[in-house]
Amino acid sequence: MQFKHPELLYALFLLLIPIIVHLFQLRKFEKVNFTNVAFLKEAKLQARKSSQIKKWLILFTRLLLLACIVLAFAQPFTTKTNAFKSKKETVIYLDNSFSMQAKGSQGQLLKRAVQDIIEHVPEDENITFLTNNSVFKNTTIKTIKNELLQLDYAATPLTTQAAFLKSNTFFSKEKSSLKNLIYISDFQESNNRFSIEKDSLKTNYFVQLKPVNTENVAIDSAFISEKTASEIQLTVLLKNNGKLIENLPVSLFNNDTLIAKTSVSIEKAANTTFTLPTNKIVNGKITIDDASLQFDNSLFFNINNTSKVNVLTINEADDNFLKRIYTADEFNYTASELKQLNYNILEAQNLIVLNEINTIPSALITALKQFASQGGALVIIPSNSITITSYNDLLQNFQSTFKDFNKTEKRITTINYAHPLFNNGVFEKKVSNFQYPKVNGLYIINAANSSSILKYEDNSPFLFQNKNTFVFTSALNSDNSNFKNSPLIVPTLYNIGKFSFKIPELYYTIGKNNSFEVNTQLQQDAVLTLSNTTVNMIPEQQLFNNKVLIKTSETPNTASIYQVKNKTEIIKNVSYNYDRTESNLLYTNLSNTENINLNNSVAQVFDTIKSDAKINALWKWFYFCTSVFTY
C-alpha cells in the first residue's frame, strides 16, 4: 500500500489523546450514606465489570475512528508500480526492416503494429518513437499519426543489439522517473547475438511479432558466368525458404521490354542462365512472382559499354609478358622506351609500369609523383643494376626505400590470400604445395606502412603495396627470376591492372560501402549526380585528372537503376539492390532471454503497462468506515 500524501500520517500521533483520556480518569466520586447496601453488593460487582468492558470498547472505537480519518486524508492506494513518480518516460522502437513485410493473422506485421500503436497509446502521452531510419523525440501519437500511417520499410536495418542500445540513449539519467522501453520486432535470426543487462530503473517490454507463413522465394544474386566475343552468360541464383516449387517463372527485362523468360524447379536453391549479346547495353531487371516478401522479387543490373583500362609501360627490358597480360579486349596498352617517352600522355593513363629502368630521370620522378597523387596506379619493377638514389627519390613518396642488392637465391613461398588482388575468387583454396618461383638476386627494402602481397621464404616482401603503388623487390627478367613462368604472374599483374580503374559492377548492395570510377573529365566545381525517375542526388566523389571516384553506402536507399550524369549528359548506368539478408524467415527464440518482459502482441504489452500502472484508491473505504463508526 502506498500513500498519495504520506506526510499526513504524522497525524496518527493524535491517537495518544484517547489513550491518555482513558488512562487518567479525571472524574471525582462522592460518598453517599445509605442505610442498607447489602442488596447492592452483587449489582456493584456486575456494574464494575460491565463498565471496564465498555471503556475499552469506547477507547478502541475512538482510536479506530481517528485512524480512519487520518488514513482517508492521506489517500492510500495500491499499484504494481510507483504511479505517482514525478516523470514517466516511454521509448518505443518499431522494426521496419523488410522482413516485417511478412503477413501475420491481421495483415502485414509492420502495418498491423502501427495500427496497434495508434489505438493503444494515449494520444497525448509524451513518448519517443524510433525506427531503423527515423526518430521522433519527445512527441505524441497525435502529432506523428500521419507519419506512422505512411511509414515505409528501411533498406538498412539495425541489429537487435544496436537498436536496443540506440533506444536506451533516449532515456534521461533521472533515477526517480518511471522508464518503459517497448521493443517491437519479428526478431529475425542472425549471427549478431545480443544480451540485455539488468536495469532496476527500467522495464524492457519485447514484442515478438510472428508471421503465419514463413515460406519465401528470393532472387539471391546474379553474375556473369561466361563471356565470349559474341555472348554473355548471365547466371541467376534463387533461394527458397519453404516447400518445393515445381514451376517458378523467372523473367528478364531490358528497360521495360521483356527479352527472356524461363521457369525453374526449386527446393532450397536453384539457378538459371540467360544469354545476352556481348556488345549491347543492358539496363536489366530480373523478376519472379512470390506472394510473401516483395522486396526480393526483383533484381536490377547493368551491362554498360566496357571501359578499357589505359596501361603504359616504360621499358628498358623486354615487355612481351606484359603485352600478353594486358590484352586489347580489356586494356589500352601502350609501350614506350624511356628515351622516347612522351610525357604528355602520362596523365591519361590508369596504370604505369616501370619495367626494369636503370635510372629514373628527375623529370619522370616529378611526373610520376603527380600521377600517383591524382589516383593513378604505379608498378615498379627494378633492374639488377639500378641507381638506388633515383629509385629512392621516387619511393620516399610512398614511405619506402631500396637498400643494397643481395645476390642470393630465394623462393617466393607466401601468398597473402586476404589481399584485394587475390580475395575475389582467384584461388579456390589456399595452395601450400605449388612449385615455388624463385629469384637469384633481390633488393633489401625498407617499407613502412606497406602491405605485403607476395613474400619470400624469410617473410621479406617480393611484392608489396603502398596506397596505389606496387613495388617488386627483384627484376623479373629470365636471367634473374622464373616468376614469368609462374601461374602467379597473370592474376597478379592482371588484377593490378583492374585495380587501377574500378569499373562499375553488375550491381551494388544498398547499405554497404561501394565505390566505382567513371572515366570522364570534369570542369572546375562540376559534380556528377545519380538520378532516376524520382530522385536526383550528389554522391560522395573525388576528382582526378581523367576520372572521378564515386563512393556510396546508405544512399541511394531505393533499389533501382540510376543514371550517372554530368549535368544533362548520361555517362553510364549503375544499379542498386536491397541486401538479401532479410529474405531468410527464421526467427530468434526469446523465451530464455533474461531481463525482458516478452509479449506476443502490441495490444498485450500496452494492456500490461496499463494494468501495472492502474491505481486502486482505498481512501473511500476508510471514509466509509469513519461514517459507520460515527453513526
Side-chain angles (χ1 to χ4, degrees), residues 30 33 55 121 154 177 196 208 244 268 333 384 426 439 549:
E30 182 180 352
N33 295 323
K55 288 179 180 179
V121 178
S177 62
I196 308 298
Q208 185 169 28
L244 170 67
K268 295 298 182 183
Y333 182 81
N384 285 346
V426 174
V439 300
L549 174 64

Side-chain angles (χ1 to χ4, degrees), residues 35 48 76 106 126 154 163 175 291 293 295 317 326 339 354 387 437 466 479 482-483 521 545 551 556 560:
T35 57
R48 218 173 253 179
Q106 295 178 302
N126 187 272
K175 294 183 178 181
L293 303 183
F295 81 98
Y326 300 124
K339 295 179 180 179
L354 300 184
T387 303
N466 185 296
D479 293 334
N482 63 351
F483 184 71
Q521 292 183 334
N545 282 339
K551 296 180 180 180
S560 180

Side-chain angles (χ1 to χ4, degrees), residues 430-448:
K430 294 184 179 181
V431 182
S432 59
N433 59 350
F434 66 97
Q435 185 176 357
Y436 302 119
K438 64 179 182 179
V439 300
N440 297 323
L442 66 144
Y443 288 93
I444 306 301
I445 189 76
N446 180 16

Side-chain angles (χ1 to χ4, degrees), residues 91-186:
V91 175
I92 303 174
Y93 166 76
L94 177 59
D95 178 12
N96 62 332
S97 61
F98 281 118
S99 64
M100 294 283 282
Q101 285 181 344
K103 292 181 174 60
S105 58
Q106 295 178 302
Q108 288 187 358
L109 298 180
L110 178 65
K111 303 303 180 184
R112 184 64 255 174
V114 169
Q115 289 294 334
D116 286 343
I117 290 172
I118 293 174
E119 291 175 9
H120 292 87
V121 178
E123 278 193 345
D124 297 323
E125 180 179 337
N126 187 272
I127 63 169
T128 294
F129 181 87
L130 67 151
T131 65
N132 289 303
N133 55 348
S134 59
V135 175
F136 302 93
K137 189 176 180 181
N138 294 328
T139 184
T140 63
I141 290 297
K142 185 177 181 179
T143 304
I144 63 172
K145 184 175 181 180
N146 290 333
E147 285 82 356
L148 290 179
L149 293 174
Q150 298 173 12
L151 185 63
D152 204 355
Y153 297 93
T156 53
L158 300 172
T159 64
T160 303
Q161 190 73 34
F164 179 77
L165 294 175
K166 182 178 179 180
S167 300
N168 279 282
T169 61
F170 295 103
F171 288 112
S172 71
K173 295 183 179 179
E174 295 181 19
K175 294 183 178 181
S176 60
S177 62
L178 185 65
K179 300 179 176 68
N180 290 319
L181 169 61
I182 304 166
Y183 192 118
I184 306 168
S185 174
D186 57 355

Side-chain angles (χ1 to χ4, degrees), residues 15-232:
L15 296 178
L16 293 173
I17 296 174
I19 296 174
I20 293 172
V21 171
H22 176 77
L23 293 178
F24 300 98
Q25 296 290 340
L26 301 179
R27 288 190 304 170
K28 294 182 178 180
F29 295 93
E30 182 180 352
K31 286 185 178 183
V32 178
N33 295 323
F34 202 78
T35 57
N36 188 2
V37 295
F39 71 94
L40 294 176
K41 287 182 179 181
E42 184 178 351
K44 181 179 180 182
L45 290 173
Q46 292 178 354
R48 218 173 253 179
K49 292 179 180 178
S50 176
S51 176
Q52 289 288 67
I53 293 173
K54 287 180 180 179
K55 288 179 180 179
W56 283 109
L57 287 175
I58 291 171
L59 175 63
F60 177 76
T61 303
R62 288 171 177 172
L63 291 174
L64 192 59
L65 176 63
L66 189 56
C68 286
I69 293 173
V70 173
L71 292 174
F73 278 101
Q75 296 191 26
F77 65 90
T78 60
T79 182
K80 293 182 181 180
T81 60
N82 194 343
F84 283 106
K85 284 193 174 183
S86 59
K87 185 178 180 182
K88 180 180 179 182
E89 300 180 47
T90 302
V91 175
I92 303 174
Y93 166 76
L94 177 59
D95 178 12
N96 62 332
S97 61
F98 281 118
S99 64
M100 294 283 282
Q101 285 181 344
K103 292 181 174 60
S105 58
Q106 295 178 302
Q108 288 187 358
L109 298 180
L110 178 65
K111 303 303 180 184
R112 184 64 255 174
V114 169
Q115 289 294 334
D116 286 343
I117 290 172
I118 293 174
E119 291 175 9
H120 292 87
V121 178
E123 278 193 345
D124 297 323
E125 180 179 337
N126 187 272
I127 63 169
T128 294
F129 181 87
L130 67 151
T131 65
N132 289 303
N133 55 348
S134 59
V135 175
F136 302 93
K137 189 176 180 181
N138 294 328
T139 184
T140 63
I141 290 297
K142 185 177 181 179
T143 304
I144 63 172
K145 184 175 181 180
N146 290 333
E147 285 82 356
L148 290 179
L149 293 174
Q150 298 173 12
L151 185 63
D152 204 355
Y153 297 93
T156 53
L158 300 172
T159 64
T160 303
Q161 190 73 34
F164 179 77
L165 294 175
K166 182 178 179 180
S167 300
N168 279 282
T169 61
F170 295 103
F171 288 112
S172 71
K173 295 183 179 179
E174 295 181 19
K175 294 183 178 181
S176 60
S177 62
L178 185 65
K179 300 179 176 68
N180 290 319
L181 169 61
I182 304 166
Y183 192 118
I184 306 168
S185 174
D186 57 355
F187 294 97
Q188 193 175 36
E189 192 174 74
S190 69
N191 294 326
N192 298 307
R193 299 299 175 187
F194 70 96
S195 60
I196 308 298
E197 294 184 2
K198 187 175 182 179
D199 187 350
S200 60
L201 302 177
K202 176 172 60 69
T203 305
N204 300 313
Y205 296 96
F206 275 43
V207 184
Q208 185 169 28
L209 305 179
K210 297 182 179 180
V212 294
N213 180 18
T214 58
E215 295 182 355
N216 182 52
V217 183
I219 303 175
D220 182 75
S221 58
F223 57 93
I224 295 176
S225 54
E226 187 177 346
K227 185 176 182 179
T228 66
S230 59
E231 292 181 345
I232 293 174

Side-chain angles (χ1 to χ4, degrees), residues 504-520:
E505 299 178 5
L506 276 180
Y507 59 86
Y508 296 95
T509 300
I510 295 172
K512 296 186 177 180
N513 294 322
N514 306 302
S515 65
F516 60 90
E517 294 176 343
V518 180
N519 199 357
T520 187

